[in-house]
Amino acid sequence: MIDLLQGLGDTLWLSLKKLGQSFVELVPNLVGAIIIVLIGWIIGKVIKKIIVTLIQQTKIDEWVEEQNLTAAIGGQKISNIVGSFLKWYIIAIFLIQAVTAFQLTVLQEFLTVLAYYIPQIIVALLILVIGLLIGRYVRNIVDATTYFHKRTIGIIAEVIIIYVAIVLGLDTIQGVDVTILLDAFRISLLAFTLTIAIIVGITLGFAFKDDAKDLISEIRKKAK
């Protein structure tokens, strides 16, 4: 019994000793990984500030506000959106290096794949932002007209433009098949065109109904 307890004690001690040694070996890598992430965070923030400043000098944020387009992108500024995209991309790159230093192979492979797709995702999101702005701009133009169905047409036009932006954005991401979305867009565009044609036809019909009556009356008189 004593020998059994002594054997268990020795086994436990060896396990704790190995655990302690592993922790001691792990600490430098952990510290190095944390430092790398912090450096990436600082560089990302600096780059974001520079990009935001440069974009603000183009006055694009003011133009978006003047055109009442801010609501289309959630009240955010273009400069802040672009700067945030670049900031997190830089952080992701440094995070991969930190994982490499930490010797986490599985996580490293995942983050490497993620880093490959991040630029494509950023481009897709930028295309979506542009689509949101263009869609709202077109809608505002339609709303400024005196056409009776301007609200409906404006919303439909905005939705179509946003849909196109989504399809174009997804098409920039490798491995994403947008064939179904393109087919759906063609069908939607056809339906939209037919709807506009019907609305215009009905409107013109009501507008010129009196003239049409006079024309028909004259034709009947001449026929007699």
Side-chain angles (χ1 to χ4, degrees):
M1 187 65 180
I2 295 175
D3 293 338
L4 178 61
L5 291 174
Q6 186 176 1
L8 290 173
D10 293 339
T11 302
L12 181 60
W13 169 250
L14 289 174
S15 299
L16 291 174
K17 186 177 180 180
K18 289 181 179 179
L19 181 62
Q21 290 175 347
S22 299
F23 180 75
V24 170
E25 293 174 357
L26 189 64
V27 168
N29 292 334
L30 178 60
V31 173
I34 293 174
I35 292 174
I36 292 174
V37 172
L38 288 175
I39 292 174
W41 180 272
I42 294 171
I43 294 177
K45 291 194 69 173
V46 172
I47 294 296
K48 177 183 177 180
K49 188 173 182 180
I50 293 173
I51 294 299
V52 168
T53 302
L54 290 175
I55 295 177
Q56 285 177 344
Q57 290 178 354
T58 65
K59 305 297 182 181
I60 188 171
D61 290 332
E62 287 80 354
W63 182 84
V64 170
E65 290 181 2
E66 290 174 358
Q67 300 299 321
N68 296 321
L69 305 177
T70 308
I73 52 177
Q76 298 294 320
K77 293 184 177 181
I78 297 296
S79 57
N80 187 59
I81 292 174
V82 176
S84 296
F85 284 161
L86 291 177
K87 169 189 170 182
W88 286 107
Y89 177 59
I90 293 171
I91 291 174
I93 293 176
F94 276 84
L95 185 59
I96 294 172
Q97 301 302 319
V99 170
T100 303
F102 203 50
Q103 297 180 354
L104 294 176
T105 307
V106 177
L107 188 57
Q108 178 185 353
E109 293 176 355
F110 169 75
L111 289 175
T112 301
V113 173
L114 184 62
Y116 173 76
Y117 280 103
I118 283 178
Q120 301 177 38
I121 294 173
I122 289 176
V123 172
L125 290 174
L126 288 175
I127 292 175
L128 176 58
V129 170
I130 293 172
L132 291 171
L133 292 173
I134 294 175
R136 184 56 56 89
Y137 183 73
V138 171
R139 178 178 172 180
N140 290 343
I141 291 176
V142 175
D143 286 342
T145 64
T146 57
Y147 190 67
F148 182 73
H149 301 285
K150 62 182 181 180
R151 179 172 177 79
T152 302
I153 294 176
I155 293 174
I156 294 175
E158 182 180 18
V159 171
I160 289 177
I161 293 172
I162 293 174
Y163 187 87
V164 172
I166 292 174
V167 173
L168 292 175
L170 290 175
D171 194 42
T172 62
I173 302 176
Q174 186 175 353
V176 177
D177 188 4
V178 296
T179 304
I180 297 177
L181 295 176
L182 288 173
D183 292 338
F185 171 71
R186 293 188 185 99
I187 296 172
S188 301
L189 183 60
L190 177 61
F192 176 71
T193 303
L194 291 174
T195 301
I196 295 298
I198 292 172
I199 292 174
V200 171
I202 292 174
T203 303
L204 290 176
F206 279 112
F208 297 101
K209 63 179 181 179
D210 294 334
D211 294 335
K213 286 181 180 179
D214 295 338
L215 179 61
I216 293 172
S217 298
E218 289 183 10
I219 293 173
R220 286 179 178 178
K221 289 179 181 178
K222 290 181 180 180
K224 293 178 179 180

